[in-house]
Amino acid sequence: MTVISEPVPTPMRQAQKERTREAILAAALRLSQEQGFAQISLRQVAREAGIVPTAFYRHFADMEQLGLTLVEHSFATLRKMIRDSQRDPQVFTNIIDASADILVGVVKEHKAHFGFIARERFGGQVSVSKAIRHELDLFVSELAVVLARLPNIENWSSEDVQMVSRLFVRNMVSNAEEVIEMPDNRPDLEEEIKEGARRQMRLIVLGFRDWNSDS
Amino acid sequence: MTVISEPVPTPMRQAQKERTREAILAAALRLSQEQGFAQISLRQVAREAGIVPTAFYRHFADMEQLGLTLVEHSFATLRKMIRDSQRDPQVFTNIIDASADILVGVVKEHKAHFGFIARERFGGQVSVSKAIRHELDLFVSELAVVLARLPNIENWSSEDVQMVSRLFVRNMVSNAEEVIEMPDNRPDLEEEIKEGARRQMRLIVLGFRDWNSDS
DNA sequence: TGTACATCAGTGAACGCGCGTTCACTGATGTAC
DNA sequence: TGTACATCAGTGAACGCGCGTTCACTGATGTAC
């Protein structure tokens, strides 16, 4: 079998197809920011992506598949955030302030994906909402594993860690909603949201410390 | 002017009109539970309400006006909950457990209205979402006034009370989401949600106590 | 009480529109020799 | 390198459908005398 030294031709046709696929995804994300994913049509997406409606079918079976792909991409962004923040030494020394910074920063930078999660979590296309809620459940468990390794938390019961994780994720989604509602170029509001995120995480941590010490 | 002793005829036509109007509202609420309000059509609502599409216009100018009326009705339910719970002596002695009980009970009894608020808060019809978020902001301030009168809270700064109120409302919406997702006839899950609501409110209160005592 | 007229909630036909989807096609890219 | 054929992303016409909205109407309810 002549597997050695494959030409790796980077076929132009395939590259172009990939570009169109991304144009469709970007168009759908853009349009759903204004009206919600469930309310946009295949023809609108095609128009925004600069293709004819029938070309859509070369990339996705229907709008539902497109929606589920957007869910995947959005959670990939979310998971990348966690991976990156684990590399940040700040997180170990001051998890609360560092988390608030990272949260607001990343959400702002990836407004579209976080907005998609927050917006379509309820009341969107049924399969898309279901997928998002399933992914959020998974994410809570993943974050619990990360949290459990942190100092001050390592000796908590796994049930407590799971609950803190749930509160953090809920807090994250709520703050994502606020950042998304925030108009651009209002750094004052941004600082307010960051401060709110800090206070809420502090509340959660303080509350838990008390809880564990006196019950 | 012969204003004395008006017949008060309880006109049959008017009563029938009111019944139809309520049938439309009920139909829209029912249908939007499954697909979200923005995705249901005027003709679907008319069909579900048992009238011909054109009769819809005798009651609402368009679907947007119907949606805004549902927002009003949903918040009327929410405010009634607060008014009723203020009469409950339990609230003054054990605000946390009482609130959790009331919250889960009322939400379960008025699933449709709370579901409407939670679902349409984001990503629904733009004007409906805006109206809901505006009403939620008002509600946070109203609840702050109620909370400020409670023992142990009466000497807090108004800023702190406002923030606790915001956390309570956020908690309420989150728990409403959970109750709504909950399948019927699962009293075990219900108790779990109630316990979760209790723990979270306790966290908020404990966190604040600490905060105020050592900072 | 009875009659003649007014009101108006609900009807049914009709309209133009954007939708999702099918199908046969085109022409640039890719492959074999 | 040049030629002949295959592939397949994107095209454009066509379809049937449910939609929101208009309009003139009907007939039960309400009112005046």
Side-chain angles (χ1 to χ4, degrees):
Chain A
M1 293 213 263
T2 55
V3 184
I4 42 162
S5 79
E6 275 180 326
V8 197
T10 329
M12 193 192 298
R13 204 147 62 175
Q14 187 177 313
Q16 174 53 40
K17 185 174 186 183
E18 188 52 38
R19 245 175 282 136
T20 303
R21 187 186 149 95
E22 266 153 32
I24 293 172
L25 286 162
L29 205 53
R30 217 176 307 131
L31 289 172
S32 59
Q33 273 184 277
E34 288 153 30
Q35 338 175 21
F37 181 77
Q39 281 135 94
I40 63 179
S41 69
L42 185 152
R43 287 175 106 104
Q44 277 178 62
V45 172
R47 216 175 297 132
E48 180 84 6
I51 56 172
V52 108
T54 50
F56 178 94
Y57 295 104
R58 298 279 176 212
H59 302 274
F60 300 97
D62 50 27
M63 285 294 286
E64 181 180 338
Q65 293 309 310
L66 170 57
L68 295 176
T69 304
L70 285 174
V71 174
E72 276 177 40
H73 283 212
S74 298
F75 275 90
T77 298
L78 191 56
R79 294 196 161 90
K80 188 170 182 309
M81 175 184 91
I82 296 299
R83 256 181 286 121
D84 289 354
S85 66
Q86 277 180 270
R87 271 188 228 109
D88 187 336
Q90 261 271 299
V91 168
F92 286 86
T93 57
N94 187 347
I95 188 189
I96 289 170
D97 291 359
S99 297
D101 277 7
I102 291 167
L103 181 68
V104 176
V106 177
V107 170
K108 238 192 76 183
E109 207 179 333
H110 301 281
K111 268 192 183 186
H113 280 157
F114 282 85
F116 188 84
I117 292 173
R119 215 186 322 110
E120 311 296 335
R121 191 168 43 115
F122 287 100
Q125 205 159 291
V126 175
S127 58
V128 170
S129 299
K130 267 192 170 178
I132 289 177
R133 276 176 278 149
H134 177 67
E135 290 287 340
L136 277 174
D137 285 346
L138 290 181
F139 186 71
V140 166
S141 295
E142 290 168 28
L143 182 63
V145 173
V146 174
L147 290 177
R149 288 203 208 96
L150 291 173
N152 305 323
I153 297 186
E154 54 202 0
N155 52 353
W156 290 18
S157 79
S158 68
E159 204 186 63
D160 282 357
V161 176
Q162 189 77 16
M163 184 181 162
V164 169
S165 182
R166 213 180 303 132
L167 288 173
F168 265 62
V169 171
R170 178 178 292 189
N171 189 27
M172 184 195 74
V173 173
S174 296
N175 282 289
E177 288 170 354
E178 281 186 50
V179 174
I180 285 138
E181 280 187 88
M182 185 181 78
D184 293 326
N185 303 320
R186 286 290 303 273
D188 53 324
L189 275 183
E190 186 183 325
E191 193 45 54
E192 231 171 77
I193 292 172
K194 220 181 265 187
E195 180 57 26
R198 261 194 292 270
R199 293 182 101 191
Q200 286 157 35
M201 287 194 268
R202 202 170 287 134
L203 270 186
I204 293 168
V205 173
L206 286 175
F208 252 97
R209 193 185 62 191
D210 250 47
W211 189 332
N212 286 334
S213 61
D214 69 20
S215 77
Chain B
M1 293 210 263
T2 57
V3 183
I4 43 161
S5 79
E6 276 181 327
V8 197
T10 328
M12 192 191 300
R13 205 149 59 173
Q14 188 177 312
Q16 174 52 41
K17 186 175 185 184
E18 188 53 37
R19 246 176 282 136
T20 303
R21 186 187 150 95
E22 266 153 32
I24 293 173
L25 286 162
L29 205 53
R30 217 176 307 130
L31 290 172
S32 58
Q33 273 184 278
E34 290 153 29
Q35 334 176 23
F37 181 77
Q39 279 134 96
I40 64 179
S41 69
L42 185 152
R43 286 174 106 105
Q44 276 178 62
V45 172
R47 217 175 296 132
E48 180 85 6
I51 56 171
V52 109
T54 49
F56 179 95
Y57 295 104
R58 298 281 177 212
H59 303 274
F60 300 96
D62 51 27
M63 286 294 287
E64 180 179 337
Q65 292 309 309
L66 169 58
L68 295 176
T69 304
L70 285 174
V71 174
E72 276 177 39
H73 284 211
S74 297
F75 275 91
T77 298
L78 190 56
R79 295 197 159 89
K80 188 171 183 308
M81 175 184 91
I82 296 300
R83 255 180 285 121
D84 289 354
S85 66
Q86 278 181 270
R87 272 188 227 107
D88 187 337
Q90 261 270 298
V91 169
F92 285 87
T93 58
N94 187 346
I95 187 188
I96 289 169
D97 292 0
S99 297
D101 277 8
I102 291 168
L103 181 68
V104 176
V106 177
V107 171
K108 239 193 73 182
E109 207 180 331
H110 301 280
K111 269 193 184 186
H113 279 158
F114 282 85
F116 188 83
I117 292 173
R119 215 185 322 108
E120 312 296 336
R121 191 169 41 115
F122 287 100
Q125 206 160 292
V126 175
S127 59
V128 171
S129 298
K130 267 193 170 176
I132 289 178
R133 276 175 277 150
H134 177 67
E135 289 287 341
L136 277 174
D137 284 348
L138 290 180
F139 185 71
V140 166
S141 295
E142 290 168 29
L143 182 64
V145 172
V146 174
L147 290 176
R149 288 203 209 96
L150 292 173
N152 305 320
I153 297 186
E154 53 200 1
N155 51 353
W156 290 17
S157 79
S158 69
E159 202 186 67
D160 283 356
V161 176
Q162 189 76 14
M163 183 179 163
V164 169
S165 182
R166 214 180 302 132
L167 288 173
F168 266 62
V169 171
R170 178 179 291 190
N171 189 27
M172 184 195 75
V173 172
S174 295
N175 281 290
E177 288 171 354
E178 280 185 50
V179 174
I180 284 138
E181 279 187 271
M182 185 180 78
D184 293 325
N185 301 320
R186 284 291 304 273
D188 53 323
L189 275 184
E190 187 183 324
E191 193 44 56
E192 231 172 78
I193 292 171
K194 219 182 267 184
E195 180 57 25
R198 261 194 292 270
R199 294 182 102 193
Q200 286 157 35
M201 286 195 269
R202 203 170 289 133
L203 271 187
I204 293 167
V205 173
L206 286 175
F208 252 96
R209 194 185 60 191
D210 250 46
W211 189 333
N212 287 334
S213 61
D214 68 22
S215 79

